[in-house]
Amino acid sequence: MPPPADIVKVAIEWPGAYPKLMEIDQKKPLSAIIKEVCDGWSLPNHEYFALQHADSSNFYITEKAQNAQQLHERIQSSSMDAKLEALKDLASLSRDVTFAQEFINLDGISLLTQMVESGTERYQKLQKIMKPCFGDMLSFTLTAFVELMDHGIVSWDTFSVAFIKKIASFVNKSAIDISILQRSLAILESMVLNSHDLYQKVAQEITIGQLIPHLQGSDQEIQTYTIAVINALFLKAPDDRRQEMANILAQKQLRSIILTHVIRAQRAINNEMAHQLYVLQVLTFNLLEDRMMTKMDPQDQAQRDIIFELRRIAFDAESEPNNSSGSMEKRKSMYTRDYKKLGFIIVLENSSREDKHECPFGRSSIELTKMLCEILKVGELPSETCNDFHPMFFTHDRSFEEFFCICIQLLNKTWKEMRATSEDFNKVMQVVKEQVMRALTTKPSSLDQFKSKLQNLSYTEILKIRQSERMNQEDFQSRPILELKEKIQPEILELIKQQRLNRLVEGTCFRKLNARRRQDKFWYCRLSPNHKVLHYGDLEESPQGEVPHDSLQDKLPVADIKAVVTGKDCPHMKEKGALKQNKEVLELAFSILYDSNCQLNFIAPDKHEYCIWTDGLNALLGKDMMSDLTRNDLDTLLSMEIKLRLLDLENIQIPDAPPPIPKEPSNYDFVYDCN
């Protein structure tokens, strides 16, 4: 007879003793299980012991851990070797939230900050003898600090100016251990993002000039954290300081340095670096928001002077009338004519055509500017998950203006190709937007390359692309075809359902997000092959391929799932200031609700994975799969299946209605005798 489902056999080890295979009753409280284990080895004070995973994670399975108290004492040891070993263990164990809570309860964060503030000077006296040891100790101390703070248990507002100055000093040093520099940059980024007061203090200690040298090195991780700090300072700067900071970045040639040492370096750009470049791109373009929202003021002399200058540049080739009183009326008439033409100068080559065929440059410029701002999402906060940066925008100090110049020429060219009139204005703008979007998706490395891509996307080419896409998405609307669709749709949906569940069985790696922003920390979740349990757990790094079930520490029975919620309904999206309620993050967020107040929160790496998981979870719960991906897959597979079934009817017109039933015969004397 098989044992009850709640009884499991677990191998348990104790240092210096033989491992034991023990039967564990999962219905018992954890404290009772730990007592039984301790009694098996005659260990007193069971309340001070904990179960710990024996895999590489070393995570604890308890809310109390004796190790927290022991490590708190060990890192204060007078022996440098013992202290170094304790700090190394602390850096590893601090990733576990249970251990972190216990260590923080012992005022562990304060102890670490004191060691950074004062301990460094003490050991620097012995620097010649113990320089490697000192560097390792400081590195492990800062690593433990970062890991503990990432759990969000302690507020960032609690740190002293002395601690900030010390961390900033590590960043400002020209020669410092790489691991210390990386942790210091991470701490400064977190300070700036999580506290307005700390932003002001960090901004006083760190200058762009001190950060620039770190971008000129060869370590991409250091470059990434450096740009992250610059982005954080940029993002949190008051509105009246952002333009000033942008001017400083321009003076320090940040764009040129990033282009040379990051984008055009002889190595691939990883995802985190791509994200930081995207954020910098968004923040830079957001400086245009005020201009974008400012209306023309006819009474503003400066704006009037700009328009006058534009007319002068456009028509200076034409002879100016003499400055006599008799020529005043002639000049006024000429100016009126010129400003009428400033529907505008780009169409002078088409001046032989009627006015209605001229591209209205003024209106076109305004609408094109709006369109480009919309494409580049000017005024929106950067997404927490997006890596969509464009190298060409880092090749010019005034990249938006250059981008506009290329696109306004494209607009005029498309206008001529379409032989458009003023009534066709909106149609032309739609075609231009499609041309620009298609060219951007190729990620041109320079503005010249972008211009070349547009040359190959003429209006005729756009029509061909549209026609091809229309044919691929051909929709059969006759009644027999619709009936066939209805008949085969359930089996197609079942096929999609099985694909979604198979993907859940393979699992997905999710990136951890918290108040500090993205981290290079991951967790994995996958469905068991029998579709009854979700296994999940933390990972050291992004995995290459599938992660085995037995390496994932936690599990959630599918039967315990109460609901799946998305977007703003997710608990982690309702928290105050959660990821700034970013639109794109909201579109990737979903949560599994189970038990009374428990949830498992996700932020998908992209829209595709979001659809896979929400579809799969809904399928497990017996609900309809409602994602855009399911609709697209259903349309594609239905269309493909119908085309396959209708191959024998190629070039045969399918009637909308069935053929009429013939009249009854005059008699039935036509029975065939088989004998």
Side-chain angles (χ1 to χ4, degrees):
M1 181 177 177
D6 295 313
I7 303 295
V8 294
K9 290 187 176 182
V10 179
I12 301 178
E13 299 175 336
W14 173 255
Y18 288 108
K20 289 185 179 182
L21 187 64
M22 304 183 68
E23 288 192 348
I24 300 294
D25 185 350
Q26 297 181 81
K27 289 184 177 179
K28 290 184 177 181
L30 187 57
S31 58
I33 294 173
I34 293 174
K35 185 177 186 304
E36 290 180 6
V37 173
C38 290
D39 290 345
W41 275 297
S42 302
L43 298 172
N45 302 320
H46 70 275
E47 62 272 14
Y48 292 112
F49 289 88
L51 293 175
Q52 183 186 37
H53 287 284
D55 59 15
S56 60
S57 70
N58 294 324
F59 286 175
Y60 287 97
I61 318 171
T62 183
E63 296 177 1
K64 281 195 175 183
Q66 190 178 29
N67 247 5
Q69 179 66 48
Q70 291 176 345
L71 273 176
H72 191 271
E73 295 170 358
R74 286 170 57 203
I75 62 175
Q76 300 178 73
S77 170
S78 57
S79 165
M80 291 300 104
D81 289 339
K83 192 184 195 79
L84 178 62
E85 195 63 31
L87 286 168
K88 183 178 180 180
D89 291 343
L90 180 63
S92 173
L93 294 173
S94 294
R95 293 181 296 109
D96 179 18
V97 65
T98 305
F99 171 86
Q101 182 69 69
E102 289 301 313
F103 187 79
I104 289 170
N105 288 344
L106 296 170
D107 209 17
I109 292 287
S110 296
L111 178 59
L112 293 179
T113 56
Q114 289 169 15
M115 291 172 64
V116 172
E117 289 174 25
S118 59
T120 51
E121 283 84 359
R122 188 189 318 158
Y123 300 124
Q124 279 173 327
K125 293 177 182 177
L126 305 173
Q127 192 171 7
K128 289 184 180 179
I129 302 173
M130 339 179 26
K131 187 174 181 180
C133 178
F134 165 71
D136 288 342
M137 286 178 61
L138 183 55
S139 175
F140 289 135
T141 302
L142 294 177
T143 300
F145 177 84
V146 169
E147 297 290 354
L148 292 168
M149 291 302 297
D150 276 347
H151 294 297
I153 299 170
V154 178
S155 169
W156 283 93
D157 286 312
T158 58
F159 299 107
S160 66
V161 174
F163 180 70
I164 297 169
K165 286 179 177 290
K166 182 60 66 176
I167 297 298
S169 71
F170 300 145
V171 173
N172 292 337
K173 284 183 179 178
S174 56
I176 190 78
D177 182 82
I178 290 293
S179 61
I180 295 174
L181 176 58
Q182 185 263 316
R183 270 69 167 185
S184 299
L185 289 166
I187 291 169
L188 291 178
E189 181 199 9
S190 297
M191 287 178 171
V192 172
L193 290 177
N194 289 285
S195 169
H196 177 69
D197 289 341
L198 290 187
Y199 154 74
Q200 294 177 321
K201 293 171 183 175
V202 171
Q204 292 172 358
E205 299 296 327
I206 294 289
T207 66
I208 300 300
Q210 292 164 329
L211 293 171
I212 290 294
H214 301 314
L215 291 173
Q216 296 171 315
S218 58
D219 190 305
Q220 188 171 120
E221 187 175 22
I222 294 298
Q223 291 175 324
T224 302
Y225 276 95
T226 301
I227 297 177
V229 172
I230 293 172
N231 285 338
L233 291 168
F234 210 152
L235 185 64
K236 291 298 181 178
D239 292 343
D240 57 347
R241 279 271 301 147
R242 284 184 188 169
Q243 188 59 58
E244 180 184 340
M245 185 174 175
N247 295 337
I248 295 173
L249 296 180
Q251 291 171 8
K252 298 296 182 180
Q253 297 184 315
L254 176 70
R255 178 199 58 77
S256 178
I257 291 169
I258 289 176
L259 183 66
T260 303
H261 296 279
V262 178
I263 296 176
R264 292 181 176 171
Q266 298 301 310
R267 61 174 180 270
I269 293 178
N270 62 35
N271 287 339
E272 186 61 23
M273 173 60 84
H275 174 77
Q276 294 298 341
L277 292 173
Y278 152 79
V279 172
L280 182 59
Q281 172 185 294
V282 171
L283 295 176
T284 303
F285 283 140
N286 280 355
L287 293 172
L288 302 170
E289 184 181 11
D290 287 343
R291 288 179 61 189
M292 178 181 73
M293 303 303 292
T294 302
K295 293 183 179 180
M296 168 67 183
D297 181 5
Q299 306 304 317
D300 188 329
Q301 188 59 42
Q303 295 181 19
R304 291 167 64 89
D305 289 344
I306 292 173
I307 295 175
F308 293 153
E309 179 66 9
L310 178 59
R311 193 215 66 82
R312 187 191 66 76
I313 294 171
F315 301 110
D316 231 7
E318 300 182 17
S319 59
E320 289 280 349
N322 295 328
N323 197 24
S324 62
S325 58
S327 64
M328 291 300 291
E329 289 299 321
K330 186 176 180 180
R331 176 181 287 139
K332 185 175 180 181
S333 174
M334 186 183 70
Y335 283 5
T336 301
R337 180 201 67 187
D338 290 349
Y339 287 121
K340 185 176 180 181
K341 281 187 178 179
L342 287 176
F344 259 56
I345 55 176
I346 283 186
V347 298
L348 290 180
E349 58 192 284
N350 303 329
S351 58
S352 61
R353 303 167 69 181
E354 294 179 15
D355 285 349
K356 67 177 183 178
H357 287 287
E358 291 185 353
C359 178
F361 182 71
R363 180 185 177 193
S364 298
S365 299
I366 294 170
E367 293 303 319
L368 180 63
T369 302
K370 289 180 181 178
M371 179 201 297
L372 298 183
C373 287
E374 178 186 332
I375 290 172
L376 298 177
K377 300 182 179 179
V378 173
E380 294 186 19
L381 283 172
S383 164
E384 298 287 343
T385 58
C386 185
N387 303 333
D388 190 24
F389 85 98
H390 293 277
M392 70 179 194
F393 292 131
F394 289 85
T395 62
H396 202 284
D397 286 327
R398 304 186 73 87
S399 57
F400 186 88
E401 288 86 340
E402 293 294 319
F403 185 43
F404 171 85
C405 289
I406 294 171
C407 292
I408 196 67
Q409 294 175 56
L410 168 71
L411 192 154
N412 184 62
K413 174 174 171 285
T414 302
W415 185 280
K416 290 190 295 179
E417 291 173 348
M418 293 178 67
R419 298 183 180 276
T421 64
S422 55
E423 288 80 9
D424 301 318
F425 183 84
N426 291 335
K427 292 180 183 178
V428 175
M429 295 304 295
Q430 289 171 6
V431 173
V432 170
K433 183 174 183 179
E434 185 172 347
Q435 290 169 314
V436 172
M437 293 290 285
R438 288 184 183 276
L440 284 177
T441 56
T442 65
K443 293 293 180 71
S445 59
S446 67
L447 289 162
D448 286 339
Q449 195 177 96
F450 173 69
K451 192 172 183 178
S452 298
K453 297 284 184 184
L454 291 177
Q455 291 294 330
N456 297 326
L457 284 171
S458 64
Y459 176 57
T460 303
E461 184 63 25
I462 291 294
L463 288 180
K464 289 179 182 178
I465 294 171
R466 287 179 175 180
Q467 179 66 19
S468 174
E469 292 176 348
R470 194 177 299 117
M471 290 177 65
N472 291 335
Q473 298 173 358
E474 186 176 358
D475 188 17
F476 302 102
Q477 294 299 327
S478 63
R479 198 171 77 182
I481 300 299
L482 292 176
E483 290 177 357
L484 180 59
K485 276 187 176 182
E486 190 176 335
K487 181 179 179 181
I488 63 178
Q489 182 167 313
E491 59 186 84
I492 298 294
L493 283 172
E494 182 61 29
L495 183 66
I496 294 172
K497 174 183 173 182
Q498 291 305 318
Q499 187 271 341
R500 300 294 193 264
L501 294 177
N502 288 340
R503 279 288 290 103
L504 263 62
V505 170
E506 292 176 14
T508 299
C509 178
F510 297 91
R511 186 184 291 271
K512 285 190 172 184
L513 298 178
N514 72 351
R516 187 186 135 232
R517 215 198 55 70
R518 299 156 59 106
Q519 308 173 58
D520 287 323
K521 294 184 178 180
F522 305 89
W523 68 287
Y524 201 88
C525 187
R526 63 179 299 185
L527 180 65
S528 62
N530 63 5
H531 298 175
K532 292 186 176 180
V533 178
L534 284 171
H535 297 266
Y536 61 96
D538 293 336
L539 299 177
E540 290 284 344
E541 57 186 3
S542 182
Q544 304 298 321
E546 291 184 23
V547 175
H549 291 98
D550 54 10
S551 67
L552 302 175
Q553 306 88 18
D554 302 298
K555 62 182 180 179
L556 170 61
V558 172
D560 290 350
I561 297 177
K562 306 299 182 186
V564 176
V565 294
T566 61
K568 291 182 179 179
D569 295 328
C570 296
H572 57 316
M573 293 293 104
K574 293 179 179 179
E575 296 170 7
K576 184 178 180 182
L579 302 177
K580 305 182 190 68
Q581 293 294 302
N582 186 283
K583 179 183 175 183
E584 292 189 38
V585 173
L586 284 172
E587 291 176 351
L588 298 175
F590 62 98
S591 298
I592 296 174
L593 308 183
Y594 62 98
D595 292 342
S596 54
N597 292 310
C598 298
Q599 68 269 339
L600 188 60
N601 298 321
F602 299 76
I603 294 179
D606 52 50
K607 191 66 175 178
H608 182 269
E609 286 297 318
Y610 169 85
C611 293
I612 290 288
W613 273 86
T614 52
D615 282 343
L617 293 171
N618 281 324
L620 285 173
L621 299 179
K623 297 181 179 180
D624 292 337
M625 299 179 292
M626 304 297 292
S627 75
D628 294 338
L629 183 62
T630 291
R631 285 193 290 272
N632 292 337
D633 287 350
L634 181 61
D635 290 343
T636 301
L637 293 173
L638 270 176
S639 177
M640 187 184 302
E641 182 66 20
I642 287 173
K643 287 178 180 179
L644 288 172
R645 295 195 183 195
L646 296 180
L647 280 177
D648 292 337
L649 298 177
E650 193 170 359
N651 298 323
I652 296 177
Q653 183 67 35
I654 300 175
D656 290 333
I661 300 174
K663 294 180 180 180
E664 292 188 10
S666 57
N667 63 70
Y668 293 89
D669 298 334
F670 49 81
V671 177
Y672 181 75
D673 188 355
C674 295
N675 297 324

